[in-house]
């Protein structure tokens, strides 16, 4: 059974998100990265035609900045210091959310607490919790053309890919891809399809840690690790 540290899982997920964005990019791709783990994706992107958008008003977000590269006014949605990329532009918040709500984003990458068989996503609150994390989640899942969920496969051993969500919903039938440390799932009209798998796990192990039913691609390939 696959056993990884949290940091290892996050890095595996981030590099596979970057790989998927490269696959989706036919010409140019404007992508929003949600706070948390999705923000690691910029460290693996090497495609100049993929432009990262952040809801605080930056299009062309570069990798995380360290040391002398840190500028106090250049931050991503998680308030982490970042670098600019060539051609980077800035907007105010209203214009930024207008991009999100107006269908101008090609893709959005978000974390989630649960995703179910019908591509419903719950990612903004756990009942009884003290932190509300709405942010732009509803706007992103409804406005982006492709919704990619980047999350760990389980939480304390409990499956996060479930038959029916139990938490307050963020969006109905909006998820297109889910990437975990165990595999890459493509949500289609025929249901979820496992398209890539971690080379160190078996299909049976994935099924054991997944509550929802899924199909397996005819050509199941290994994900990046």
């Amino acid at each position: 059974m696959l056993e990884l540290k949290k940091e290892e899982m996050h890095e595996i997920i981030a590099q596979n998100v970057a790989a998927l964005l490269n696959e989706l990019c036919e010409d140019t791709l404007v992508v929003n990265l949600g706070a948390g783990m999705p923000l690691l994706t910029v460290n693996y992107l090497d495609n100049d035609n993929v432009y990262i958008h952040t809801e605080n008003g930056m299009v062309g977000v570069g990798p995380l900045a360290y040391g002398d590269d840190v500028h106090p006014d250049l931050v991503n949605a998680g308030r982490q210091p970042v670098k600019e990329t060539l051609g980077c532009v800035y907007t105010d918040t209203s214009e930024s959310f207008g991009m999100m709500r107006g269908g101008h984003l090609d893709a959005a990458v978000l974390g989630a607490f649960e995703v179910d068989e019908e591509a419903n996503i719950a990612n903004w609150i756990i009942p009884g919790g003290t932190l509300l994390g709405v942010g732009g989640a509803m706007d992103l899942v409804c406005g982006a053309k492709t919704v990619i969920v980047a999350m760990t496969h389980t939480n304390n051993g409990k499956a996060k890919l479930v038959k029916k969500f139990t938490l307050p919903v963020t969006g109905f039938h909006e998820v297109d891809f889910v990437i975990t440390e165990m595999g890459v799932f493509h949500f289609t009209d025929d249901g979820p399809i496992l398209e890539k798998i971690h080379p160190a796990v078996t299909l049976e192990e994935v099924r054991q840690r997944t509550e929802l039913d899924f199909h397996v691609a005819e050509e199941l390939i290994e994900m990046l690790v």
Side-chain angles (χ1 to χ4, degrees), residues 3 71 77 82 89 162 165 225:
E3 297 294 341
H71 189 291
V82 294
V89 297
V162 298
F165 64 86
V225 296

Side-chain angles (χ1 to χ4, degrees), residues 76-111:
N76 59 25
R79 301 184 182 87
Q80 298 170 305
V82 294
K83 298 179 182 180
E84 296 171 304
T85 57
L86 185 64
C88 178
V89 297
Y90 299 93
T91 71
D92 62 25
T93 303
S94 63
E95 288 177 314
S96 180
F97 270 76
M99 291 181 65
M100 296 158 56
R101 295 166 177 163
H104 303 292
L105 295 181
D106 297 301
V109 184
L110 307 96

Side-chain angles (χ1 to χ4, degrees), residues 9-141:
M9 290 190 286
H10 290 185
E11 296 295 338
I12 289 172
I13 293 167
Q15 63 179 311
N16 282 278
V17 171
L20 176 58
L21 293 178
N22 284 331
E23 294 172 13
L24 296 175
C25 184
E26 297 180 355
D27 183 13
T28 59
L29 204 70
V30 180
V31 183
N32 179 280
L33 300 179
M37 187 199 322
L39 295 174
L40 295 173
T41 303
V42 294
N43 294 325
Y44 294 97
L45 280 174
D46 57 0
N47 189 333
D48 293 336
N49 292 321
V50 177
Y51 298 90
I52 301 303
H53 164 273
T54 180
E55 52 261 43
N56 53 316
M58 188 175 179
V59 182
V61 180
L64 298 180
Y66 301 96
D68 293 338
D69 291 327
V70 172
H71 189 291
D73 292 330
L74 297 181
V75 295
N76 59 25
R79 301 184 182 87
Q80 298 170 305
V82 294
K83 298 179 182 180
E84 296 171 304
T85 57
L86 185 64
C88 178
V89 297
Y90 299 93
T91 71
D92 62 25
T93 303
S94 63
E95 288 177 314
S96 180
F97 270 76
M99 291 181 65
M100 296 158 56
R101 295 166 177 163
H104 303 292
L105 295 181
D106 297 301
V109 184
L110 307 96
F113 301 129
E114 291 180 337
V115 173
D116 73 9
E117 281 184 350
E118 297 182 359
N120 302 317
I121 175 174
N123 78 339
W124 72 277
I125 186 174
I126 295 178
T130 57
L131 295 177
L132 299 181
V134 178
M138 283 77 170
D139 306 278
L140 287 168
V141 299

